C-alpha cells in the first residue's frame, strides 16, 4: 500500500545507521508545540492583524478571519504536520517521496524560507537597534537634535517629527530613492551581526538548542503582552481606542478586498508553505496525535492575534488622546496670548465657551489666529502597520508614558522574541532538507554547517543595510513573502489530495493517530481549501497586476515633505521583483521536467537495448 | 514750588510713556505664565514683583555694559495686561531720554537669562521675551554612545555562549572517539560473524548481468 514510503524509510533507516546517529527528536511534546506556536506567532500577529481589524471595521473583520481559519488555515496546517510526521523528512525529502516529479516543491519551499529569513532578520536587527537605544534618559527619539548654531532644531526633524527623524535618518539613514544606494551603514551592520549571532547560538545544534531556547522566546511575548494590557487599560484614552477597534462596521463585509485580506492574513500568519512546519513535525515520533496539534497551533495563533490587538489599541487610543489634547492646548495658548487673558483661565473644559465669547466680541482676531480643528476621530484614524506601527507610532506613545525606558525595553524584547521564534522555523526549513538530502559531507559537524548557513545569510542580507535597504526590504516582503507561498501551498494540497491520494493519506493518519479524519477534513482537503487557495491567488494577481508598482520614498527635499514621495520602480528594479516572485516557483516545473527527461532517456535506451534483467526498482533512482 | 515739582513729575512720566509704547523699536514684550509653571504655588503678580523684574533687568544691563550704572528707573514698563505680559524699554543712565539699542538689550538678556529665570522661579518657556529666542541647551554627548555599551555587553555574552557550546561539542566528540576503540574490540568477534549477513541485506546490485553490451552485442 505504501511501498514508496517503505522503501524510502528503509533507505533512510539504512542511511541513519550508516551515520551512526539517529534522527534528532524533541525532548517532550511541549517543546514541539511551543516551537510550532512560536513559528506561527510572529511579528505579523502584533503589527498586521490589529491594523487589518482597524481598517476593515473592527469586530466585523473577525468573521472573514474565522471563516478563512476554518476553511483554509486549519486544513493546510493539519496536512503539513501530518505528512512531515509520517514521512519523517524535511520538505524536499517529503515531496520527493510522494512523487519524484514533485521534488521541485521542496526546493521552492527551501528557497522561499531562505529568502524570507534574510529580510526577516533585518527587521530583528532594527528591533535590536531600538533596544540598544532604550537604555538612555531621555529616549533619543523624544527630542529633535539642534542645528549647527544651536538656535533651533534641524529642519528635517522640525518638519516631520522626532520619532520620524530618528527612524528615517538616525536608524536607516535612508536615501531619497531606491536607485541611490548609499554606503553600508556600519551601525546597522553591527546590529545585523548581533541578530545573526543570537539566531546562531539558538540554532547551533538544530532542534536540540532550539528546543531549549523556545521555552523563553515563545512564552515571553505573552508575559509582556499581559503586562502591557494591564498598563494600557489604566491609561487615559485607552477606552476610546478599544471602542474604536471593536465597534463592528458591517458594511465592510461587502468589500471583496476584506475577504481577500482575511484569507492572505490567515495564510501568512500560520507560516504555511515554508517547509518549517514539515521539518518540525518530522522530528516527532510517528504515533502522535497531529490532529490535536494542528487545532492547538491554529487556534492559539488566532487567539494571540486577537489578544495582542487589545493592548496595542489601548495604547494607540492613549496616543490619539494625547495628540488631541496637545492640539486643543495649542489652540488655547494661541487664544490666551492673542487676547492677553490670564494663563490657565481657559481650560480644556471651558474652551468652547471662551471660543464662542471671543468669536462674538472680536471675530476678525480669532480668524487671524488660524486655529486648528481638533478631531479625536482623525487622530484615531491614523493607522499604521508593520514597521510604521512599531518604530514610529508605538515609540511616540511610549515617550508619553511615565517610565518610558522600561516600556520601550519590554516592547522591543517582546518583538525580538516573536521574530526569533519565527526565524527558527525559517532556518529549519533550509537546514532539514539539506541534511536529509545528505548534501552535507559527513565530516562537517552540524555546528559548522549551521554557522555557514548563518554566515551566508548575513553576507547576502548586507544589501538591507545600505541607504536604500528599507526599499529593498519592502520589495522582498511584497514579492517573495506572498505570491510564491500561495502557489506552493496550492500545489501542496493538490499533490497530497490527488497525487498521493486522499485515501492513502487517510490510512496514514489512521495509523498515526488511531482515528480516521472526519468529513470536515475530507471536504476541506479535497475541494474547499484548493478552491479557496485558487481564488485567493487569482484575486491577488489581478489586484496586484492592475496597479503599476509604486513605493513611498522619504525625501527631505520633496515639495510636500513630510508626506511620502510616491515613486515608480525603475525597470531594472521591477525586473528583480518579477525574478524574486518567479525564481522560487520555477523549480516546480523545472524539477518535474528534469525527471521526465530522465524517464524519457531511460525509456529510449531500453527500447534500443532491451535488458531482461533491468527493472525500475533496481536502478534505484528514487 | 509744588507746582514745578508736579509739572516735572508729569513731564517725566509723560516722557517715559512716550518712550515706552507697544511695538517700540527698541523695546521687547515679556510674557509670564506663572500658573502654568508653578500650579498651586503660583504667586500673585503685583507691583512688588514688577519692581523685582525692573531690578533684575537693571542688573542684566549692568553686567552687559560695564561702567554704566543702570538703575531701576532706567527700566520703563508699560502696557501691562492680565495675561501678565508687558512691554519694556531701557533708557541710558547718562541720558534718560535716549533708549539703549535693541541689540545690547538682547545680548544682556541672553547672557543673564538663567539669573532672570531663577529670580522668578520660571523657565525659558514660561518667561518669554518675544523676539529673543532662548539658546537651546546643548545636548550631552558622552564619549562612548550608550548604545555601543549595551551592544558590547550583548555581543560579549553571545560570543561567550557560542564558544562554550562549540567547545562542549568538541569535548563530547573527543569522548565518543575515546570510547569507540573500546567498543570496537568487544564487537570484533560479533562483527566477523555478521559481515556476510550484512553484505546480503545491503543488496549490492550485481552488475554482471546488466548493460554490458560492449561484450555481448552481436
Amino acid at each position: 500500500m505504501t511501498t514508496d514510503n517503505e522503501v524510502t524509510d528503509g533507505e533512510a533507516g539504512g542511511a541513519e545507521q550508516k551515520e551512526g546517529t539517529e534522527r534528532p527528536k524533541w525532548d517532550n511534546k511541549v517543546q514541539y508545540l511551543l516551537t510550532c506556536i512560536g513559528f506561527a506567532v510572529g511579528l505579523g500577529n502584533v503589527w498586521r492583524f490589529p491594523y487589518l481589524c482597524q481598517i476593515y471595521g473592527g469586530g466585523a473583520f473577525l468573521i472573514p478571519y474565522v471563516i478563512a481559519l476554518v476553511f483554509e488555515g486549519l486544513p493546510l496546517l493539519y496536512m503539513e504536520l501530518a505528512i512531515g510526521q509520517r514521512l519523517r523528512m524535511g520538505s524536499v525529502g517529503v515531496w520527493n517521496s510522494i512523487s519524484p516529479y514533485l521534488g521541485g516543491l521542496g526546493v521552492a519551499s527551501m528557497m522561499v524560507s531562505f529568502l524570507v529569513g534574510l529580510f526577516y532578520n533585518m527587521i530583528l536587527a532594527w528591533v535590536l537597534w531600538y533596544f540598544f537605544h532604550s537604555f538612555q534618559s531621555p529616549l533619543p527619539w523624544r527630542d529633535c537634535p539642534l542645528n549647527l548654531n544651536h538656535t533651533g532644531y534641524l529642519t528635517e526633524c522640525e518638519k516631520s517629527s522626532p520619532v520620524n527623524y530618528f527612524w528615517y535618518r538616525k536608524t536607516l539613514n535612508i536615501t531619497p530613492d531606491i536607485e541611490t544606494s548609499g554606503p553600508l551603514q556600519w551601525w546597522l551592520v553591527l546590529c545585523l551581526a548581533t541578530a545573526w549571532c543570537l539566531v546562531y547560538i539558538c540554532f547551533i545544534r538544530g532542534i536540540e538548542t532550539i528546543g531549549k531556547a523556545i521555552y523563553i522566546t515563545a512564552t515571553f511575548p505573552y508575559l509582556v503582552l499581559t503586562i502591557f494590557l494591564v498598563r494600557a487599560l489604566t491609561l487615559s484614552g485607552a477606552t476610546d481606542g478599544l471602542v474604536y477597534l471593536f465597534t463592528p462596521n458591517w458594511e465592510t463585509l461587502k468589500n471583496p478586498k476584506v475577504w481577500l485580506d482575511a484569507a492572505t492574513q490567515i495564510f501568512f500568519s500560520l507560516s504555511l508553505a515554508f517547509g518549517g512546519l514539515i521539518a518540525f513535525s518530522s522530528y516527532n515520533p510517528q504515533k502522535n496525535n497531529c490532529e490535536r496539534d494542528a487545532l492547538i497551533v491554529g487556534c492559539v495563533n488566532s487567539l494571540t492575534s486577537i489578544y495582542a490587538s487589545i493592548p496595542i489599541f489601548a495604547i494607540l487610543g492613549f496616543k490619539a488622546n494625547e495628540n488631541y489634547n496637545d492640539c486643543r492646548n495649542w489652540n488655547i495658548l494661541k487664544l490666551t496670548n492673542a487676547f492677553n487673558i490670564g494663563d490657565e483661565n481657559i481650560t480644556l473644559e471651558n474652551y468652547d465657551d471662551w471660543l464662542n465669547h471671543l468669536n462674538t466680541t472680536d471675530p476678525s482676531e480669532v480668524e487671524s489666529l488660524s486655529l486648528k480643528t481638533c478631531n479625536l476621530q482623525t487622530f484615531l484614524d491614523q493607522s499604521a502597520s508593520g514597521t510604521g506601527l512599531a518604530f514610529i507610532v508605538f515609540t511616540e506613545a511610549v515617550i508619553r508614558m511615565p517610565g518610558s525606558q522600561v516600556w520601550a525595553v519590554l516592547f522591543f524584547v517582546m518583538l525580538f522574541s516573536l521574530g526569533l521564534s519565527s526565524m527558527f522555523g525559517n532556518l529549519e526549513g533550509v537546514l532539514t532538507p539539506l541534511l536529509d538530502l545528505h548534501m552535507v559531507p559527513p565530516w562537517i559537524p552540524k555546528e559548522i554547517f549551521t554557522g555557514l548557513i548563518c554566515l551566508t545569510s548575513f553576507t547576502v542580507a548586507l544589501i538591507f543595510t545600505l541607504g536604500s535597504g528599507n526599499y529593498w526590504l519592502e520589495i522582498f516582503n511584497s514579492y517573495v513573502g506572498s505570491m510564491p507561498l500561495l502557489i506552493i501551498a496550492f500545489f501542496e494540497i493538490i499533490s497530497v489530495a490527488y497525487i498521493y491520494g486522499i485515501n492513502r493519506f487517510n490510512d496514514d493518519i489512521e495509523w498515526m493517530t488511531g482515528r480516521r479524519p472526519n468529513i470536515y477534513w475530507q471536504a476541506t482537503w479535497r475541494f474547499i481549501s484548493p478552491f479557496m487557495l485558487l481564488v485567493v491567488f487569482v484575486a491577488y494577481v489581478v489586484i496586484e497586476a492592475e496597479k503599476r508598482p509604486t513605493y513611498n520614498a522619504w525625501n527631505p527635499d520633496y515639495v510636500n515633505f513630510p508626506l511620502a514621495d510616491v515613486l515608480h520602480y525603475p525597470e531594472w528594479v521591477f525586473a528583480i521583483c518579477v525574478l524574486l516572485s518567479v525564481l522560487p516557483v520555477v523549480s516546480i516545473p523545472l524539477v518535474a521536467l528534469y525527471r521526465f527527461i530522465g524517464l524519457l532517456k531511460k525509456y529510449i535506451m531500453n527500447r534500443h537495448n532491451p535488458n531482461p534483467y533491468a527493472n525500475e526498482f533496481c536502478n534505484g533512482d528514487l | 514750588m509744588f507746582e514745578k515739582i508736579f509739572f516735572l513729575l508729569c513731564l517725566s512720566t509723560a516722557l517715559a510713556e512716550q518712550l515706552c509704547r507697544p511695538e517700540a523699536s527698541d523695546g521687547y514684550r515679556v510674557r509670564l505664565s506663572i500658573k502654568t509653571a508653578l500650579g498651586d504655588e503660583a504667586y500673585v503678580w503685583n507691583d512688588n514683583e514688577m519692581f523685582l523684574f525692573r531690578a533684575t533687568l537693571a542688573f542684566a544691563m549692568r553686567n552687559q555694559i560695564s561702567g554704566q550704572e543702570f538703575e531701576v528707573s532706567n527700566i520703563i514698563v508699560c502696557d501691562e495686561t492680565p495675561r501678565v505680559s508687558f512691554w519694556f524699554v531701557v533708557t541710558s543712565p547718562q541720558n534718560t531720554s535716549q533708549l539703549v539699542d535693541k541689540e545690547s538689550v538682547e545680548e544682556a538678556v541672553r547672557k543673564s537669562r538663567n539669573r532672570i529665570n531663577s529670580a522668578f522661579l520660571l523657565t525659558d518657556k514660561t518667561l518669554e521675551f518675544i523676539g529673543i529666542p532662548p539658546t537651546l541647551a546643548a545636548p550631552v554627548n558622552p564619549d562612548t554612545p550608550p548604545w555601543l555599551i549595551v551592544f558590547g555587553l550583548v555581543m560579549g555574552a553571545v560570543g561567550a555562549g557560542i564558544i562554550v557550546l562549540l567547545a562542549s561539542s568538541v569535548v563530547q566528540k573527543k569522548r565518543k572517539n575515546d570510547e569507540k576503540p573500546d567498543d570496537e574490540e568487544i564487537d570484533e568477534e560479533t562483527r566477523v560473524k555478521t559481515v556476510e549477513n550484512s553484505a546480503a541485506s545491503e543488496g549490492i546490485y550485481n552488475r554482471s548481468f546488466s548493460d554490458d553490451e560492449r561484450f555481448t552485442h552481436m
Side-chain angles (χ1 to χ4, degrees), chain A residues 129 132-133 136 146 150 152 187 190 194 197-198 200-201 204-205 336-337 340-345 445 447 611, chain B residues 31 33-36 81-83 85 136-139 146-147 150-151 154 158 161-162 165-166 168-169 173 210-211:
Chain A
W129 166 260
F132 292 151
H133 278 84
Q136 297 172 7
L146 304 176
H150 288 211
W187 56 91
L190 284 183
T194 319
C197 284
L198 278 164
Y200 177 52
I201 197 177
I204 193 167
R205 284 202 203 130
T336 314
N337 287 345
N340 286 317
I341 309 161
D343 68 322
E344 301 279 314
N345 276 6
E447 290 86 352
N611 185 350
Chain B
R31 195 188 283 151
S33 310
I34 308 172
K35 268 200 224 146
T36 319
T81 67
R83 169 75 176 86
S85 75
L136 300 160
W147 78 269
V150 185
F151 161 75
V154 171
V158 169
I162 292 178
L165 280 174
L166 286 175
S168 72
S169 53
K173 257 213 181 127
S210 71
D211 311 336

Side-chain angles (χ1 to χ4, degrees), chain A residues 18-151:
Chain A
K18 260 191 243 165
E19 278 176 22
T21 54
E22 46 176 60
R23 192 173 185 77
K25 55 180 196 282
W26 300 106
D27 289 343
N28 52 49
K29 188 73 183 291
V30 173
Q31 250 185 26
Y32 164 63
L33 278 179
L34 277 181
T35 314
C36 288
I37 289 174
F39 182 34
V41 172
L43 295 169
N45 295 66
V46 165
W47 71 29
R48 177 103 181 120
F49 177 80
Y51 165 75
L52 288 176
C53 253
Q54 184 186 10
I55 61 172
Y56 287 136
F61 181 70
L62 288 175
I63 294 183
Y65 185 70
V66 170
I67 291 178
L69 173 69
V70 164
F71 289 112
E72 188 195 342
L74 288 176
L76 280 168
L77 184 61
Y78 186 15
M79 181 197 75
E80 285 209 2
L81 291 182
I83 49 172
Q85 190 174 294
R86 178 66 188 91
L87 300 175
R88 307 209 86 213
M89 281 202 271
S91 56
V92 179
V94 150
W95 300 112
N96 257 335
S97 310
I98 289 185
S99 161
Y101 295 102
L102 290 174
L105 263 184
V107 176
S109 280
M110 197 168 74
M111 284 194 68
V112 168
S113 283
F114 176 72
L115 290 172
V116 169
L118 290 179
F119 76 80
Y120 208 79
N121 221 19
M122 188 66 215
I123 299 178
L124 293 188
W126 291 335
V127 171
L128 273 182
W129 166 260
Y130 271 83
F131 168 72
F132 292 151
H133 278 84
S134 302
F135 290 96
Q136 297 172 7
S137 175
L139 290 171
W141 52 83
R142 193 190 71 172
D143 300 314
C144 274
L146 304 176
N147 59 17
L148 286 170
N149 46 6
H150 288 211
T151 51

Side-chain angles (χ1 to χ4, degrees), chain B residues 199-217:
Chain B
S201 69
E202 271 178 19
I204 301 169
Y205 179 53
N206 191 344
R207 290 190 175 274
S208 51
F209 291 102
S210 71
D211 311 336
D212 47 4
E213 59 223 69
R214 289 172 279 162
F215 304 107
T216 56
H217 190 65

